[in-house]
C-alpha cells in the first residue's frame, strides 16, 4: 500500500506490435523489455499486486518468469492495433479484482517499451495523485524545440510544403516558442474511479510529473538500437 491506498501495477504487452515483431521480448543489454519492467516492479515494495495483460503465451511466460502474475489471457478483440489502452486497462483491472477478490484504489500502467523509468518518478506521481486529488498523473519529458508543432511542415499531394499550423510562419527564433512536453511512458497513474467511470486516462483533472535524464519509448529498430547504446 501507499498512503493507505491499495496499488496494482498493470503491464500491458500484446504480441502483435507492427514496428518490431514481438517487441516486448526484444532485449536491451541482454534482458527482454518484460524482464526490465518485471525487475523494476520488484523494487516497488508498495505494490499490492503486479500483473501482465497479454494475448501472447511467450510474453505471458516471460512475465511470470520475472515476477508478474497472469491471472488471464487477454482476448484477441482487445489486442488489435487500434484498441485504446483504456479498454485494456479496464479489462485487466476487472479481471484482476475478480481473480484476487479485492479492489484496488490506484492503477499504475508501466509500458515495457519505456525501460529507462525511475522509481522516484513513480513515487512523485503517486503522491501528486493522492495529495492533489487528481484523476490521473502522467510522466512527461520536455520536448526539443525542433519538434515544436509551430516548426512542423506538411507536404501536399502536389509535393508542396506549408506550415502545419498557420502561426508557424511567424516563428523566427526558438525563444518565441513556449515549452511543450511529450508523454515518455514511464508511468500512467490513475484512480480506480476515473478508469471505471470516466473510462479515460486523461481528463481535465490530470496532473504531470516532469522527468529528467534520458527517456525513450521504443517503437522501432532505431529506438531499440538507441536504447542499447544508452544502457551501455
Amino acid at each position: 500500500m501507499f498512503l493507505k491506498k491499495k496499488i496494482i501495477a498493470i503491464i500491458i504487452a500484446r504480441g502483435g506490435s507492427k514496428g518490431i515483431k514481438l517487441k516486448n521480448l526484444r532485449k536491451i543489454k541482454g534482458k527482454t523489455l518484460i524482464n526490465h519492467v518485471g525487475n523494476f516492479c520488484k523494487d516497488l515494495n508498495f505494490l499490492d499486486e503486479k500483473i501482465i495483460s497479454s494475448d501472447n503465451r511467450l510474453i505471458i511466460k516471460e512475465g511470470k518468469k520475472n515476477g508478474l502474475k497472469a491471472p488471464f489471457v487477454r482476448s484477441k478483440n482487445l489486442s488489435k492495433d487500434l484498441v485504446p489502452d483504456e479498454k485494456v486497462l479496464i479489462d485487466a483491472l476487472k479481471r484482476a479484482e475478480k481473480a484476487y477478490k479485492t479492489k484496488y484504489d490506484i492503477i499504475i500502467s508501466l509500458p515495457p517499451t519505456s525501460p529507462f523509468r525511475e522509481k522516484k518518478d513513480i513515487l512523485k506521481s503517486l503522491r501528486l495523485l493522492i495529495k492533489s486529488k487528481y484523476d490521473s498523473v502522467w510522466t512527461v519529458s520536455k520536448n526539443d524545440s525542433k519538434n515544436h508543432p509551430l516548426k512542423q511542415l506538411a507536404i501536399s499531394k502536389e509535393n508542396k510544403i506549408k506550415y502545419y499550423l498557420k502561426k508557424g510562419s511567424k516563428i523566427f527564433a526558438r525563444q518565441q516558442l513556449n515549452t511543450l512536453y511529450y508523454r515518455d511512458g514511464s508511468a500512467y497513474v490513475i484512480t480506480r474511479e476515473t478508469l471505471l467511470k470516466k473510462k479515460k486516462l486523461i481528463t481535465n483533472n490530470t496532473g504531470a510529473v516532469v522527468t529528467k535524464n534520458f527517456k525513450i519509448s521504443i517503437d522501432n529498430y532505431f529506438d531499440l538500437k538507441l536504447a542499447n547504446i544508452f544502457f551501455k
Side-chain angles (χ1 to χ4, degrees), residues 175-192:
Q175 289 79 7
Q176 294 174 270
L177 301 170
N178 59 328
T179 302
L180 292 182
Y181 304 84
Y182 65 92
R183 50 181 177 177
D184 59 34
S186 292
Y188 301 91
V189 183
I190 318 106
T191 67
R192 182 179 189 274

Side-chain angles (χ1 to χ4, degrees), residues 8-210:
I8 183 171
I10 300 177
I11 288 75
I12 55 177
R14 70 189 183 104
S17 55
K18 293 293 184 289
I20 305 175
K21 187 176 180 181
L22 286 178
K23 176 171 58 179
N24 293 297
L25 293 180
R26 293 290 177 163
K27 294 182 178 181
I28 295 178
K29 202 178 179 182
K31 297 179 180 180
T32 67
L33 294 178
I34 297 296
N35 190 170
H36 281 288
V37 73
N39 285 339
F40 183 81
C41 284
K42 291 175 183 177
D43 193 37
L44 304 181
N45 54 11
F46 51 81
L47 292 178
D48 294 277
E49 199 55 83
K50 45 195 176 186
I51 69 167
I52 187 166
S53 169
S54 183
D55 59 319
N56 184 278
R57 61 181 181 82
L58 294 177
I59 291 176
I60 290 174
K61 183 179 179 181
E62 182 71 1
K64 288 180 177 179
K65 179 181 173 183
N66 290 284
L68 303 174
K69 293 184 180 179
F72 59 88
V73 177
R74 196 199 306 178
S75 70
K76 295 297 179 183
N77 285 336
L78 286 175
S79 303
K80 295 177 181 178
D81 291 343
L82 301 179
V83 176
D85 287 353
E86 292 92 326
K87 286 189 175 182
V88 179
L89 289 171
I90 289 170
D91 172 72
L93 177 63
K94 287 182 175 179
R95 296 176 78 169
E97 290 187 338
K98 183 177 180 180
Y100 303 123
K101 296 180 174 57
T102 189
K103 288 185 178 180
Y104 301 97
D105 301 301
I106 297 173
I107 299 89
I108 304 177
S109 176
L110 300 171
T113 47
S114 298
F116 291 92
R117 58 175 54 90
E118 298 176 82
K119 182 177 179 179
K120 64 180 181 180
D121 295 322
I122 310 302
L123 293 171
K124 283 182 185 177
S125 298
L126 282 169
R127 289 194 185 96
L128 187 62
L129 181 86
I130 296 169
K131 293 184 177 181
S132 298
K133 297 182 179 179
Y134 283 120
D135 288 340
S136 60
V137 171
W138 290 20
T139 56
V140 298
S141 295
K142 283 187 179 181
N143 217 337
D144 190 304
S145 62
K146 298 183 186 69
N147 299 319
H148 196 286
L150 291 176
K151 297 193 74 173
Q152 304 310 301
L153 303 172
I155 301 177
S156 70
K157 292 180 180 179
E158 294 78 24
N159 198 39
K160 295 179 181 179
I161 63 171
K162 64 177 182 179
Y163 287 103
Y164 178 68
L165 297 175
K166 289 183 178 179
K167 290 183 179 179
S169 62
K170 299 178 181 180
I171 300 300
F172 304 104
R174 60 184 175 83
Q175 289 79 7
Q176 294 174 270
L177 301 170
N178 59 328
T179 302
L180 292 182
Y181 304 84
Y182 65 92
R183 50 181 177 177
D184 59 34
S186 292
Y188 301 91
V189 183
I190 318 106
T191 67
R192 182 179 189 274
E193 184 177 6
T194 299
L195 187 60
L196 296 183
K197 292 186 178 180
K198 296 185 179 181
K199 302 183 189 305
K200 294 180 179 180
L201 296 186
I202 185 171
T203 71
N204 58 7
N205 188 36
T206 292
V209 166
V210 181

